[in-house]
Amino acid sequence: MAGRPGQERVLALEITREGFEWALARAVESSCRPRLHPSRDAWRRALRRGEVRVQRDPERDAALRPLPWPALQVGLRGEAVRRYADEWLVSVSDVTALAGEVRRGGGRGAPAGRPYPLPQPVAAVIGATG
């Protein structure tokens, strides 16, 4: 974290809730999930057309202990990138020092994460229901 050449800073990007939910409502999973797509070909078509891609990863707390919900990596392209830059971005903060403190402290004193409450229609698009 923030140690490789060209990756020395950790930034916190704040975006609007409306923007985040706009993106998730149009998201396509990076891997085929039969529950969400009728066939592999349908998933591939959706992936090619989609401007927002999500990938599930294990969520961990600051001490790297697993949490009971997944983390989402969100990738944007096309119209989603334009909206992100022009409409959704609220602030950019350099949190490199805080990230270093958390890393050195093994996560002690770090804020605990919590699940993001998704509206039902958005949750259904990314398969976060049930």
Side-chain angles (χ1 to χ4, degrees), residues 19-99:
F20 185 60
E21 290 178 1
W22 182 96
L24 290 183
R26 289 154 181 80
V28 178
E29 291 260 2
S30 62
S31 57
C32 183
R33 295 184 49 183
R35 189 172 93 174
L36 299 175
H37 299 96
S39 70
R40 222 165 167 62
D41 286 337
W43 166 72
R44 285 188 190 109
R45 284 191 301 277
L47 205 52
R48 278 193 303 270
R49 287 191 313 265
E51 294 186 341
V52 181
R53 184 178 294 190
V54 294
Q55 174 180 316
R56 293 167 189 270
D57 288 327
E59 179 66 275
R60 298 188 178 276
D61 67 14
L64 302 179
R65 293 178 298 251
L67 292 171
W69 57 81
L72 289 181
Q73 289 187 28
V74 181
L76 307 175
R77 69 179 187 175
E79 175 72 8
V81 171
R82 186 202 62 75
R83 286 175 179 256
Y84 172 80
D86 294 343
E87 300 172 16
W88 307 341
L89 193 57
V90 173
S91 68
V92 179
S93 303
D94 185 336
V95 294
T96 305
L98 174 61

Side-chain angles (χ1 to χ4, degrees), residues 117-125 128-130:
L118 291 172
Q120 181 57 33
V122 173
V125 167
T129 58

